[in-house]
Amino acid sequence: AQSVSQHNHHVILSEAASLELGCNYSYGGTVNLFWYVQYPGQHLQLLLKYFSGDPLVKGIKGFEAEFIKSKFSFNLRKPSVQWSDTAEYFCAVNAPLSGGYNKLIFGAGTRLAVHP
Amino acid sequence: GAVVSQHPSWVICKSGTSVKIECRSLDFQATTMFWYRQFPKQSLMLMATSNEGSKATYEQGVEKDKFLINHASLTLSTLTVTSAHPEDSSFYICSARDPSGLLFGYTFGSGTRLTVV
């Protein structure tokens, strides 16, 4: 079965530090990959997505992610975090399944706290 | 962009009663919607896939008789938690794919916090 693994459950950083959140998935076929962010008390928002093409994807708010097919990874990065980046981050994979429909499978999430 | 509206935002009900949660796609038609459940400090777990005009597809371990899903139109899916118990208290989130399947990916509702007392 498809699965998504996020290695860091909690990350604490100071402002201006660089961020990298790991995401690995298990699925041998073609996948679509997503990173979502959930700010405290708010709903999920799409940060960026990868469907095809350039494996380095740029998203909103200065985030980017790199798809490395050989490593089954889609790590999220930001060169310099801000206090407002404090949130929970979810990696998700969408893979075509039998029955003709797709579904999103989420990782467990990484809770990021940025100190001013 | 695509917007999904979920209602109510929060609800408190007595044990044994039923609660209905609505999920609407506001500016697009969604033949497929998804219902998730999120426990505190945990990830979203897919409960079922709602298909317009046909039966929902439930994930393993999800009781279809307890979590009734109806997707009667291209813009509305409902989740009814029947005979709710305290262990059903959770955050329920719906999602829909954008029409093209490419532009926005998946759009999420703001969620419904259910508390069963």
Side-chain angles (χ1 to χ4, degrees):
Chain A
Q2 295 85 3
S3 67
V4 180
S5 176
Q6 290 182 244
H7 316 297
N8 317 101
H9 296 294
H10 285 94
V11 174
I12 303 173
L13 294 173
S14 298
E15 274 194 318
S18 64
L19 170 73
E20 180 159 4
L21 302 181
C23 174
N24 287 87
Y25 63 94
S26 65
Y27 183 71
T30 302
V31 294
N32 300 324
L33 299 156
F34 304 81
W35 274 97
Y36 286 89
V37 60
Q38 188 174 32
Y39 297 102
Q42 297 188 27
H43 60 89
L44 283 169
Q45 298 175 39
L46 180 66
L47 269 181
L48 47 80
K49 61 185 184 291
Y50 172 80
F51 280 46
S52 64
D54 188 345
L56 184 61
V57 180
K58 302 237 183 255
I60 61 172
K61 306 187 181 188
F63 286 92
E64 64 177 33
E66 185 175 12
F67 170 52
I68 303 180
K69 189 175 181 179
S70 61
K71 295 185 178 180
F72 298 89
S73 70
F74 190 55
N75 292 354
L76 180 71
R77 300 194 292 250
K78 185 170 183 177
S80 176
V81 295
Q82 300 172 319
W83 176 79
S84 57
D85 293 324
T86 295
E88 187 148 19
Y89 294 81
F90 294 96
C91 180
V93 171
N94 158 233
L97 300 169
S98 61
Y101 66 91
N102 298 348
K103 63 182 183 182
L104 271 183
I105 300 169
F106 284 85
T110 297
R111 195 172 291 270
L112 171 66
V114 180
H115 292 292
Chain B
V3 176
V4 170
S5 174
Q6 191 171 339
H7 178 81
S9 300
W10 58 272
V11 58
I12 301 174
C13 70
K14 290 185 177 180
S15 188
T17 61
S18 295
V19 173
K20 181 186 283 188
I21 303 170
E22 293 187 348
C23 180
R24 294 181 185 273
S25 56
L26 294 188
D27 49 3
F28 66 101
Q29 294 182 331
T31 55
T32 304
M33 290 186 176
F34 305 89
W35 287 97
Y36 292 85
R37 186 172 179 176
Q38 186 181 26
F39 290 104
K41 300 183 181 181
Q42 294 187 31
S43 187
L44 283 75
M45 300 300 296
L46 181 66
M47 298 174 64
T49 301
S50 171
N51 304 299
E52 188 269 335
S54 64
K55 291 183 179 180
T57 305
Y58 289 82
E59 295 300 300
Q60 192 172 9
V62 178
E63 299 175 59
K64 53 185 71 176
D65 293 332
K66 180 165 190 61
F67 299 100
L68 299 179
I69 291 173
N70 187 304
H71 195 153
S73 78
L74 287 170
T75 58
L76 174 64
S77 174
T78 60
L79 168 69
T80 301
V81 183
T82 63
S83 187
H85 289 96
E87 57 266 29
D88 298 325
S89 298
S90 188
F91 193 54
Y92 293 87
I93 305 172
C94 71
S95 170
R97 291 189 62 185
D98 71 87
S100 71
L102 293 175
L103 191 58
F104 304 110
Y106 297 79
T107 300
F108 288 82
S110 54
T112 298
R113 186 162 302 282
L114 169 64
T115 302
V116 184
V117 297

